Amino acid sequence: MPFLTRPATEADRAAIRDLTRHTFSWGDYVMRNWDEWMADPAGTMLVAVDTEDIAIGLTRISMLSSTEAWVQATRVHQEHRRQGMAHQLVDEAIEWARDRGATVARLVIEGWNSASIGHVERLGFRKVSDWMMAERGVGDSSPVPEGNGGQRVRGAERLRPAPGAEADPAFMSWQRSPLARAARGLFPPRGWRWRALEVDDLRESARASEFLTGRPGWAIGGVSNDTFEVRWVETSPDDAYDLARSLVDAASDHPVERLEAKLVDVDWLTQAFRRVGCKLSGLHVFERAINRPVE
Ligand SMILES: CC(C)(COP(=O)(O)OP(=O)(O)OC[C@H]1O[C@@H](n2cnc3c(N)ncnc32)[C@H](O)[C@@H]1OP(=O)(O)O)[C@@H](O)C(=O)NCCC(=O)NCCS
């Protein structure tokens, strides 16, 4: 029998807090985003409820462009797993996105999460690209002697804000690169969400002084709370190590504790970040076409 589902409301806050308290060893990010998600007209959160109307499962979907939907935060209460609840929630969320013009739905899963991979493969998603999360401490909180080891990179290697006029050459260079091929043209604009990169994303980053350039390549990177987040890079196998060092250097210009880079999993790129002292962990982006009903 199908589960009872409905859009989440403010009244679900406490139940969802309980439900997501111990999702992962480090907790969960759902409540951190709750207010933003509830206010976002480009997305919806669906909950499955028990007979008392208490939330026992949830998922969220949002439109990242006019055709691209992003699924995240699928959670099912321990006692209700393996009964098809996540399957139903995500199916209904995709219907919501289809009604708003989505032709593709995507999501990301950490490499270790076989339950989630099984769940999305069952729903017809297929893996389209592999990514690595690269992380290390910066400045005083850096216990890592490798990489810059406290020394600044030479002036010529330093990254500086690129003007908007560099967006076109950087975009063209990336489009022809093995990095774009492996990424399937995707990048993570903010947080744990991926969509197609447009040249306007580079222009917009330039306006925010987050489009960076230097001899070894280009990057999009900026400060988010205590972290310097790298969201996109364009470089070559010969220059990747220098770019990684320059990004550690750029991060240490800010009062941040960590560098975090979401990198497409191309060996020479991820190895360069390993060489500058980053820890790497695998992520997979999955995709499913959303077909329009035949008229
Ligand atoms: C992943 C999760 C949402 C699945 O919820 P669920 O309601 O149990 O999933 P479903 O019952 O719809 O499962 C559908 C299919 O997914 C696969 N699947 C689900 N859980 C699985 C597991 N633990 N191991 C292997 N495959 C699994 C199976 O193919 C399953 O079909 P089957 O039961 O007929 O074999 C749930 O385990 C959960 O809340 N996990 C913690 C949060 C999480 O990891 N969320 C995803 C983050 S990306």
Side-chain angles (χ1 to χ4, degrees), residues 118-130:
H119 145 65
V120 303
E121 286 181 342
R122 212 36 210 278
L123 274 161
F125 281 82
R126 68 191 172 89
K127 191 174 71 150
V128 288
S129 63
D130 294 324

Side-chain angles (χ1 to χ4, degrees), residues 67-88:
T67 55
E68 298 165 287
W70 184 257
V71 179
Q72 66 193 131
T74 307
R75 310 282 184 258
V76 169
H77 189 290
Q78 295 270 7
E79 285 166 22
H80 299 275
R81 289 187 186 168
R82 296 310 283 264
Q83 297 167 31
M85 188 185 289
H87 196 99
Q88 183 185 327

